[in-house]
Amino acid sequence: MRGRRYSGSYSVEAAWVSAVVILAVVTTIQAAYGLRGRVVQAMVLHEAVETARHEKGLTAQEVQTCFERTGVRLELQERGGTIDGQAAADRWEVRIQSTKFRPEEFLRRITLLEQLEEGNGGSL
C-alpha cells in the first residue's frame, strides 16, 4: 500500500504557521521576563523603603548601599519625616514615598479607637 500524497503547498503553509506560532511564543516569553524584572525591582525598592522607614539605626544611604548588592539600581533619600525611593530601568521608573514609622502615633490611634469602641457600647 502506498501512503497518501499531498501537494507541496501544505508543507509550505505548515512551515509559515509553525514560524508564526514560534514567534508568538518567543514574544510572550520575552514579555513575561520583562514584567518579572519590573516586579522584582519594584519589590526590592519597596523592601528598601520599608527597611529605611522602620530601622532607627540606619540612614537611607546605608540602606541603599545594602540593597545595591541585589543588582537593582535604586535611590533612597530621607527628607524630614519621609523616605523617597526610586528605581529605574531602561524604559520604566517606579517611585515610592512613605513617612518614617512612628510607633507612638500608632499607639495613640489605637488608644483612640479603643475609647471610641467603649463609648459606642463595644462596637465601632
Side-chain angles (χ1 to χ4, degrees):
M1 264 177 102
R2 295 183 93 188
R4 295 182 86 184
R5 296 190 66 130
Y6 297 103
S7 67
S9 65
Y10 288 120
S11 300
V12 172
E13 290 172 5
W16 279 102
V17 169
S18 298
V20 169
V21 168
I22 290 172
L23 181 64
V25 169
V26 167
T27 303
T28 304
I29 290 172
Q30 285 180 335
Y33 273 112
L35 180 61
R36 179 219 172 259
R38 288 191 298 252
V39 169
V40 166
Q41 289 185 349
M43 293 304 294
V44 168
L45 174 64
H46 187 261
E47 186 177 356
V49 168
E50 288 295 318
T51 301
R53 182 175 174 235
H54 286 279
E55 295 294 329
K56 286 188 175 188
L58 294 176
T59 65
Q61 298 303 325
E62 292 170 339
V63 173
Q64 178 179 337
T65 303
C66 292
F67 278 90
E68 284 178 345
R69 294 180 195 151
T70 62
V72 175
R73 293 180 297 169
L74 55 92
E75 182 180 330
L76 293 177
Q77 294 178 349
E78 189 171 348
R79 295 182 188 147
T82 63
I83 303 291
D84 293 324
Q86 174 184 352
D90 296 333
R91 290 181 269 170
W92 71 277
E93 174 182 309
V94 72
R95 292 174 184 255
I96 297 176
Q97 183 178 27
S98 186
T99 58
K100 287 288 268 182
F101 179 66
R102 294 178 40 203
E104 66 278 1
E105 183 178 322
F106 174 75
L107 291 174
R108 276 191 231 120
R109 289 181 183 181
I110 292 296
T111 304
L112 177 65
L113 285 175
E114 288 173 350
Q115 290 172 357
L116 287 173
E117 183 181 18
E118 289 172 4
N120 288 332
S123 68
L124 289 176

